[in-house]
Amino acid sequence: MAVKRATEDTVPCKQCACEISTTAKLCRHCNSYQDWRGRLSVSTTMVALLVALLSVATMAIPPVMAYFHTPASALSITNPVVKGRSIYLIASNRGDATGVVLRAEIASPYFNKDLEGAPDLELRSISDSIVPPGAKQLALDFSLNRNAFDSALASLELAIDRAEVHSLRAARLQVYVAEYDGEQVFYDFALSSEQLLMLLEGHMERCSSLGKDASHRNGCGGLDDMHRELQKKLREVMKKLDGEK
């Protein structure tokens, strides 16, 4: 292409040297900018390379962040709700890793833990022990073994005889959990005598519903009389507690 010599009203294009107007910002021959944008000209190949590099970098961000991020759980347990022979709780996990519910116990003067007289509290499902991020309901089922009956009756009789019924207010539900990093934490909640009586009655109803299938293996065999005796003692305690209010 022949290049025309520039006149007073024209100048050569900075890219192709063709004659263009002195006020032109874009060359009509090669479409190149004549102002500061002309210094930033990038080839189509370079643009494609930059786009590809940006795409790869975007895809690499999550794995890189995951490499430097340490997963953690953040468990919390809500106040218990007693219904029948079960205690319902809500386990919440505000972290991004799984936590675990280890066990639950009732600590009370009703039961002598040192003599293996504590009641049994079991998660209704093994899968309930795993708490992923989010929230889920847990059900703890209450039952009494022979030692728990003996311990509860002895504690209640002693408290009633000594007029120390007030000491029976301090029943606690303790739930032990483990965070993802292995740290163990326990949550402590108050349980009233009314709630313990509700659990006992719920246990009795369950044993009655089993009929001939009731046995020592499911915590019911041969304990009907003891159930009634313990329930009677608990009601005596509740009566005295109401009289102290």
Side-chain angles (χ1 to χ4, degrees):
M1 177 185 295
V3 179
K4 295 182 179 180
R5 191 177 299 276
T7 65
E8 293 182 359
D9 296 328
T10 62
V11 293
C13 170
K14 296 177 180 179
Q15 294 295 326
C16 67
C18 289
E19 183 180 352
I20 60 175
S21 171
T22 55
T23 59
K25 294 182 178 180
L26 186 70
C27 177
R28 59 190 178 86
H29 302 287
C30 65
N31 291 325
S32 61
Y33 287 102
Q34 302 301 303
D35 53 12
W36 58 271
R37 288 173 289 184
R39 302 188 187 94
L40 300 178
S41 59
V42 180
S43 67
T44 304
T45 303
M46 184 62 70
V47 171
L49 288 174
L50 289 174
V51 171
L53 181 61
L54 182 60
S55 299
V56 172
T58 303
M59 295 174 60
I61 288 176
V64 171
M65 290 181 64
Y67 178 80
F68 289 103
H69 171 68
T70 301
S73 61
L75 295 180
S76 62
I77 307 293
T78 64
N79 289 336
V81 174
V82 176
K83 185 177 181 181
R85 74 178 191 102
S86 301
I87 302 175
Y88 295 92
L89 310 104
I90 298 295
S92 301
N93 184 351
R94 292 175 286 106
D96 59 359
T98 299
V100 178
V101 177
L102 299 174
R103 67 184 187 279
E105 329 178 316
I106 290 180
S108 167
Y110 291 126
F111 310 107
N112 189 336
K113 186 177 177 181
D114 294 335
L115 298 178
E116 297 183 354
D120 296 322
L121 279 178
E122 294 185 356
L123 286 167
R124 187 169 297 171
S125 171
I126 295 177
S127 62
D128 285 346
S129 62
I130 306 300
V131 185
K136 64 188 298 186
Q137 184 183 70
L138 307 179
L140 297 168
D141 290 330
F142 173 93
S143 63
L144 290 173
N145 56 39
R146 181 61 181 257
N147 288 335
F149 269 107
D150 293 341
S151 175
L153 281 171
S155 298
L156 290 169
E157 288 171 352
L158 183 63
I160 292 171
D161 291 342
R162 294 184 179 179
E164 295 176 349
V165 180
H166 63 278
S167 68
L168 298 179
R169 296 180 188 274
R172 314 295 301 180
L173 169 67
Q174 297 173 339
V175 182
Y176 295 79
V177 304
E179 300 287 4
Y180 182 78
D181 61 3
E183 179 186 5
Q184 294 190 17
V185 182
F186 85 92
Y187 293 85
D188 184 77
F189 307 103
L191 284 180
S192 66
S193 295
E194 290 84 353
Q195 287 175 311
L196 285 177
L197 179 59
M198 186 182 297
L199 290 169
L200 175 63
E201 288 180 331
H203 178 59
M204 291 177 63
E205 290 177 3
R206 169 180 171 270
C207 291
S208 299
S209 67
L210 291 175
K212 293 182 180 181
D213 292 329
S215 67
H216 293 288
R217 294 180 63 182
N218 52 39
C220 296
L223 298 178
D224 287 345
D225 291 339
M226 296 184 69
H227 272 119
R228 285 188 282 272
E229 184 66 18
L230 183 55
Q231 186 180 39
K232 179 182 175 183
K233 293 293 183 183
L234 272 171
R235 284 177 173 160
E236 287 183 47
V237 168
M238 292 174 64
K239 204 180 216 183
K240 289 201 173 188
L241 285 174
D242 290 336
E244 292 180 0
K245 291 179 181 179

